Amino acid sequence: MSIVLEAHGIRKQFPGVLANDDVSFDLKKGEIHVLLGENGAGKSTLMNVLYGLYKPDGGEIRVNGQAISMSSPRDAIEHGIGMVHQHFMLIPVFTVAENIMLGMESVRGLALDEKVVAERVRELSRDLGMELDPNAYVHDLSVGVQQRVEIVKALYRKAEILILDEPTAVLTPQEVEDLFKIMHDLTNRGVSIVFITHKLKEVLEVADRITVMRGGKVVGSTTPSEISEAELANLMVGREVSLTVDKAAAQPKETVLEVSNLRVLDNLGTVAVDDVSLTVQAGEILGIAGVQGNGQTELVRALTGLARVSGGSIRLDGQEVANASPRRITELGSAHIPEDRQKDGLVLPFPVMDNLVLNTYYLPPFSQGLVVHWDRALENANQRIEQFDIRTPSAMTHVGTLSGGNQQKVIVARELSRPIKLLIASQPTRGLDVGSIEYIHGQIIKRRDEGVAVLLVSTELDEVLQLSDRIAVMYRGKILAVVPAAEATKESIGLLMAGITEKKPA
Amino acid sequence: MNKRRFYFIAAIIILLYLIVILIGSAQISPLVLLVSLLATTISVATPLTLGALSGVFCERAGVVNIGIEGMMLTSAFFGWFGAVFLNTIWSVPPLASLLFGVLVAIIIGGLLGLLHAWLSVSLKVDQVIGGTVINILAIGITGFLNRQLFFEKNSIFGGQIPHAPGVLPRISIPFLVDIPVVGKVFEQQPIAVAAIVLVIVANFVLFRTRWGLRTRAVGEHPRAADTIGINVYKMRYWNVIIGGMLAGLAGAYFTIESVPSFEPLMTNGRGFISLAAMIFGNWTPFGAWAAALVFGAAQAFQINLQQFRAVIPPEWAFLQYSYVVGMVPYILTMVILTGVIGKTVAPAADGTPYEK
Ligand SMILES: Nc1ncnc2c1ncn2[C@@H]1O[C@H](COP(=O)(O)OP(=O)(O)O)[C@@H](O)[C@H]1O
Ligand SMILES: [Mg+2]
């Protein structure tokens, strides 16, 4: 098969990082070529170079055998390259049709001709076995549908080469299956696809060929028949990693957290958490599965005192804490690993040392009266850095300059280094590399075995399935079901995440 | 603009008019009074409408422009200077001089727009600071040049305040103007008419054309626009320049259409009230126009009530104090800005420089 797209010796330097170091890559007509690598490996950078968004510092790009110079996405589009970005490039307040035509508008006289565009959008989406309403506003659509808009947007520009940058990160398992179907439809029609991911299972399912990147370099090229999941993981991370979580059966004891009929409004005043009741026992992990945006964020914010509770009760160790201050909840023995670590978990311009005592600095031994004993905080920091293997030049380094994995370790170190009864962990491993994930999962299991009640919120279904003892599925603000982990399968939870509850036979 | 906002605006204007008509009907027939109120409203609303349209173009493209006040003031001065120069030194007939003055005002506005675009799009200076720079610059330049050019002994006009070319004549809309009494409403000066036409044009451009779609795209999500090959910087530059030209036309209103003279600081905060009108109008041309009409009506209310001071009934005695009625337009501005009639939403990338 002919090679449609070829990158040769691409180099891209960012301040302080060599994001692409002599990277070569090629794509054959009609194939799905997976580009695999951990966060920060340089995958998006390479694709942005191929799409004309970044100017490479060296190397050559060929389309259909011809060397081309790319200075803007316009050049890429002209050569039939389309890209669905990791963060969608749609304008929320525009309609589907407006988003799709933007930059390639049809006009009659001076006015936009929306009818022609709408017709073409309907046609293209029907070809792919889906229905897109050209007049719907993008902000009203689910992420899955938004992604289809992105795909149709590329096809509208007559893309023959489609780059999908981590398209599955935001989808439910069913949506992932649908996406794979669409991808195969497209390749059957001769479209060639670059598919970027760091999820190993998907790779083996869809790839025709696989290229693995690490630290800005290509470290291997293979096909699914030649390699196993474990070997892929080792190649991607560069060392032996364990993909499974080892844990003993849970020994649940007394109830630590009891939530009844909880109601929380989001900042627009709509009901985000709707009549939720749940309990978490000491020594067990309750996992909350669900697609992003189904009320998990608001639930956690209410439990940690960061959002107003507008109905129901939250009892922590027997005490009512609905609408209590975050400090009171913390002092009652609740630890919080927040969803957005940079916004809610750390003060980025502060040193590691300060961040490690953010919730204890006013207590002995760090404070006496009005005086803070920084020497003790420093001593504490050095111990934690050692104990939790935080990779930082020193305790005085600003936390904002650390990598995502190490920032998360700072939070974990702070939250787990005091006596706690409850751990609320929200997306604890989002965006982290396999090595850090392994470590943080280990820490969570360790606390459970010590008798801490753990509430785990994650949109990664695999994570919930691996760690939890019981699984609750959240959909549109409600808990649809709570099932023992032993009885849960990826498929059954996936259906619930999409809001489908099986009808019981009458 | 949504229905609620429309009713709110209509209600305020009718209320203001009713108070004046009730009080004034002792002296003047209500119909004549209504016509005069409408005329004042439209006239006062003219620079506010144009100023708000200026804001709409800039902010829809993602550039906050609080320099509209300064752009108006500078254009008012140079437009006036251009017209007077042609008329007195080169003896060009008044009308041609005045039209030239309008052209100068628009060009000066456009150049200040270019300056603002350069500061905020290329240099990525904080846009509020960039706008403030223009406002301060405007006060300094116009104050200084006004003294140098018009009042210095050895200036081109020889220290004599020149004979003015007058103001732009009224144009009347055929047929409608012949209606008895009410017909007077259809006799307006050119910039007032232009402002209304420009509202319609701006609405079409922003919401029906390729240019408008791309403008709104770079104001909402510049990176998305960039990824499909739209030149974000170019769109922002041009829209800020267009905005500057609209502010320039608003400036011409002060010295070429309203009164035939320039005075320091004569724009008197109208540029800022324009921004309030833009926000109240939810960044749409028609909304901004409606808001400008509210301020116009409030001004008409104020001017007329002062006339009828003598006949204000004793139980409404508080309306006799000129500072009470004089506050009305400003109180309305504040009330409207507090968002009592629902939240407005700015373009998502408004005020944020785009980094590639
Ligand atoms: N615009 C940018 N400016 C500076 N550094 C960047 C930029 N984009 C990416 N990087 C850096 O380049 C490296 C590769 O990033 P990226 O290509 O996004 O990785 P991946 O997509 O594989 O997760 C990372 O270290 C990242 O921090
Ligand atoms: Mg990436």
Side-chain angles (χ1 to χ4, degrees):
Chain A
M1 262 185 282
S2 60
I3 289 176
V4 287
L5 178 66
E6 194 179 358
H8 193 78
I10 300 290
R11 238 178 72 87
K12 177 71 191 173
Q13 175 87 49
F14 286 119
V17 211
L18 188 54
N20 279 178
D21 182 5
D22 192 21
V23 174
S24 297
F25 178 85
D26 63 72
L27 180 68
K28 290 181 190 157
K29 186 161 177 64
E31 75 165 346
I32 297 178
H33 191 156
V34 168
L35 186 56
L36 176 72
E38 292 199 278
N39 278 297
K43 308 178 298 288
S44 296
T45 302
L46 177 63
M47 291 304 129
N48 283 329
V49 166
L50 292 179
Y51 189 64
L53 272 172
Y54 291 160
K55 220 177 162 45
D57 301 317
E60 193 186 54
I61 301 167
R62 292 167 172 270
V63 176
N64 295 323
Q66 256 189 336
I68 56 168
S69 84
M70 268 207 239
S71 58
S72 107
R74 215 161 252 284
D75 300 323
I77 293 167
E78 257 165 41
H79 286 96
I81 304 175
M83 179 161 175
V84 175
H85 296 262
Q86 191 167 359
H87 306 285
F88 294 161
M89 292 297 166
L90 296 173
I91 295 163
V93 298
F94 280 15
T95 63
V96 170
E98 284 173 330
N99 267 292
I100 288 173
M101 72 167 135
L102 185 63
M104 278 196 64
E105 302 85 350
S106 312
V107 286
R108 261 176 45 199
L110 284 174
L112 296 171
D113 192 345
E114 300 191 14
K115 278 217 187 88
V116 171
V117 180
E119 205 35 61
R120 183 91 186 100
V121 170
R122 285 214 181 84
E123 227 170 80
L124 280 171
S125 56
R126 223 174 286 135
D127 279 356
L128 292 176
M130 57 196 190
E131 283 295 325
L132 276 184
D133 173 7
N135 300 317
Y137 282 93
V138 164
H139 60 68
D140 293 331
L141 305 177
S142 69
V143 271
V145 179
Q146 289 187 17
Q147 186 168 68
R148 293 169 184 197
V149 176
E150 284 279 30
I151 293 174
V152 171
K153 186 167 125 189
L155 298 178
Y156 185 81
R157 288 164 170 69
K158 306 208 162 39
E160 292 287 318
I161 298 164
L162 192 59
I163 300 169
L164 303 173
D165 195 352
E166 304 216 9
T168 57
V170 292
L171 302 182
T172 63
Q174 270 73 31
E175 286 174 321
V176 170
E177 287 306 317
D178 292 345
L179 174 68
F180 288 170
K181 230 180 282 151
I182 291 173
M183 284 166 53
H184 282 126
D185 267 5
L186 287 170
T187 49
N188 286 339
R189 278 194 254 155
V191 175
S192 321
I193 296 179
V194 183
F195 177 84
I196 301 181
T197 186
H198 61 240
K199 297 184 185 173
L200 300 165
K201 290 204 176 70
E202 294 174 351
V203 176
L204 297 174
E205 193 176 337
V206 294
D208 292 316
R209 283 198 297 155
I210 304 166
T211 294
V212 184
M213 281 184 80
R214 182 184 350 124
K217 291 197 177 78
V218 170
V219 291
S221 258
T222 178
T223 61
S225 54
E226 290 170 348
I227 198 161
S228 71
E229 198 177 327
E231 287 166 331
L232 263 184
N234 296 347
L235 191 56
M236 176 165 95
V237 182
R239 61 176 172 82
E240 290 281 330
V241 287
S242 136
L243 291 173
T244 50
V245 178
D246 298 319
K247 61 175 181 141
Q251 312 277 328
K253 298 192 189 66
E254 77 282 1
T255 297
V256 173
L257 178 71
E258 185 171 7
V259 176
S260 350
N261 308 105
L262 186 71
R263 236 173 84 93
V264 185
L265 307 181
D266 66 13
N267 40 17
L268 297 172
T270 48
V271 179
V273 176
D274 190 0
D275 198 24
V276 162
S277 302
L278 52 86
T279 59
V280 190
Q281 261 98 22
E284 72 157 353
I285 299 176
L286 174 68
I288 297 197
V291 181
Q292 181 77 42
N294 274 287
Q296 304 98 312
T297 305
E298 289 78 7
L299 173 66
V300 168
R301 292 183 75 84
L303 295 180
T304 50
L306 296 170
R308 256 198 73 77
V309 171
S310 63
S313 87
I314 303 168
R315 294 180 86 78
L316 173 56
D317 207 18
Q319 309 222 34
E320 180 60 48
V321 292
N323 289 323
S325 71
R327 177 169 282 186
R328 171 141 189 275
I329 293 172
T330 307
E331 287 177 346
L332 282 171
S334 169
H336 179 204
I337 300 175
E339 174 183 328
D340 186 340
R341 70 182 74 102
Q342 302 202 327
K343 210 167 120 232
D344 298 327
L346 297 167
V347 183
L348 293 181
F350 279 14
V352 172
M353 170 183 84
D354 300 35
N355 275 288
L356 282 167
V357 293
L358 277 184
N359 52 7
T360 44
Y361 70 91
Y362 60 96
L363 299 169
F366 303 118
S367 278
Q368 246 139 19
L370 292 174
V371 184
V372 178
H373 295 286
W374 288 113
D375 50 335
R376 293 181 195 162
L378 182 61
E379 201 180 306
N380 168 73
N382 287 326
Q383 276 175 20
R384 299 291 165 250
I385 288 169
E386 171 94 24
Q387 184 189 346
F388 288 84
D389 189 27
I390 301 168
R391 308 272 167 88
T392 169
S394 86
M396 300 313 286
T397 305
H398 291 182
V399 113
T401 62
L402 302 187
S403 74
N406 283 297
Q407 290 183 359
Q408 191 73 330
K409 283 184 184 173
V410 172
I411 297 176
V412 169
R414 176 181 73 216
E415 297 298 323
L416 300 187
S417 304
R418 57 194 175 92
I420 54 168
K421 294 184 181 122
L422 173 68
L423 169 62
I424 298 174
S426 188
Q427 312 290 0
T429 60
R430 172 181 285 175
L432 300 190
D433 50 88
V434 177
S436 304
I437 294 175
E438 198 182 3
Y439 181 82
I440 285 168
H441 283 175
Q443 287 293 323
I444 293 175
I445 302 275
K446 184 162 160 244
R447 293 308 130 155
R448 179 201 74 165
D449 294 343
E450 290 167 9
V452 171
V454 181
L455 183 74
L456 168 77
V457 178
S458 176
T459 51
E460 290 293 335
L461 188 45
D462 284 330
E463 178 166 57
V464 174
L465 286 167
Q466 280 175 6
L467 290 181
S468 311
D469 300 310
R470 290 186 300 137
I471 298 174
V473 182
M474 233 179 143
Y475 179 76
R476 299 216 170 145
K478 287 185 191 295
I479 299 277
L480 285 192
V482 184
V483 289
E487 292 167 22
T489 64
K490 199 163 176 164
E491 290 67 38
S492 66
I493 301 292
L495 283 172
L496 287 166
M497 284 167 70
I500 301 161
T501 43
E502 290 154 279
K503 280 189 200 111
K504 295 229 161 61
Chain B
M1 197 175 41
N2 62 36
K3 274 220 171 77
R4 214 166 129 213
R5 228 163 258 253
F6 177 80
Y7 290 136
F8 179 80
I9 284 177
I12 289 190
I13 294 180
I14 290 171
L15 182 74
L16 291 169
Y17 282 7
L18 268 183
I19 296 175
V20 174
I21 290 173
L22 278 178
I23 293 173
S25 55
Q27 291 185 344
I28 305 179
S29 107
L31 204 56
V32 175
L33 202 48
L34 180 64
V35 168
S36 127
L37 282 168
L38 281 172
T40 313
T41 302
I42 290 172
S43 169
V44 172
T46 297
L48 302 179
T49 307
L50 289 168
L53 286 182
S54 165
V56 169
F57 273 96
C58 297
E59 299 208 358
R60 280 288 180 173
V63 179
V64 167
N65 184 2
I66 67 159
I68 292 175
E69 172 83 8
M71 294 181 177
M72 282 184 183
L73 185 64
T74 314
S75 307
F77 175 80
F78 283 103
W80 169 239
F81 176 72
V84 168
F85 188 88
L86 243 60
N87 186 239
T88 3
I89 309 285
W90 289 352
S91 309
V92 175
L95 184 62
S97 307
L98 290 171
L99 291 177
F100 175 73
V102 173
L103 187 69
V104 170
I106 293 174
I107 290 171
I108 292 292
L111 288 174
L112 287 172
L114 179 64
L115 171 65
H116 187 51
W118 181 63
L119 290 173
S120 50
V121 179
S122 296
L123 299 188
K124 303 181 171 56
V125 172
D126 183 300
Q127 296 173 8
V128 171
I129 293 176
T132 307
V133 165
I134 288 175
N135 287 333
I136 293 173
L137 206 65
I139 295 173
I141 286 183
T142 57
F144 174 74
L145 288 181
N146 186 41
R147 230 174 312 119
Q148 293 296 310
L149 294 177
F150 292 111
F151 295 95
E152 282 289 311
K153 273 268 167 326
N154 46 6
S155 78
I156 34 175
F157 302 114
Q160 293 286 313
I161 297 185
H163 174 68
V167 294
L168 288 170
R170 288 175 181 278
I171 49 179
S172 38
I173 297 165
F175 307 113
L176 291 176
V177 80
D178 300 327
I179 305 170
V181 194
V182 193
K184 269 192 98 98
V185 177
F186 297 100
E187 203 183 58
Q188 292 289 348
Q189 283 171 288
I191 297 179
V193 176
I196 295 169
V197 173
L198 283 171
V199 167
I200 299 164
V201 171
N203 192 68
F204 178 80
V205 168
L206 278 175
F207 297 106
R208 292 269 168 277
T209 67
R210 176 184 293 175
W211 179 270
L213 190 71
R214 293 181 178 190
T215 297
R216 288 183 290 132
V218 303
E220 288 290 340
H221 193 339
R223 183 161 297 277
D226 194 11
T227 58
I228 39 188
I230 291 173
N231 188 332
V232 177
Y233 296 140
K234 186 184 115 190
M235 289 306 294
R236 288 192 167 177
Y237 256 89
W238 276 114
N239 278 291
V240 175
I241 291 170
I242 290 172
M245 289 162 71
L246 286 162
L249 184 59
Y253 164 88
F254 291 95
T255 49
I256 298 177
E257 177 156 302
S258 174
V259 291
S261 69
F262 177 85
E263 269 155 69
L265 306 181
M266 73 188 301
T267 44
N268 198 16
R270 299 292 212 293
F272 294 107
I273 295 186
S274 297
L275 285 177
M278 169 196 77
I279 294 170
F280 175 79
N282 212 0
W283 287 265
T284 63
F286 278 104
W289 185 39
L293 286 177
V294 173
F295 298 119
Q299 208 71 34
F301 169 84
Q302 188 217 145
I303 293 167
N304 279 280
L305 267 197
Q306 319 244 3
Q307 264 178 34
F308 301 131
R309 200 115 117 225
V311 293
I312 289 178
E315 62 270 28
W316 289 6
F318 68 95
L319 286 179
Q320 286 173 359
Y321 299 104
S322 60
Y323 58 83
V324 173
V325 273
M327 279 191 304
V328 168
Y330 301 96
I331 290 178
L332 269 181
T333 313
M334 287 193 285
V335 168
I336 279 173
L337 279 180
T338 53
V340 275
I341 25 61
K343 272 223 171 317
T344 55
V345 191
D350 201 5
T352 353
Y354 179 59
E355 301 275 1
K356 259 211 178 253

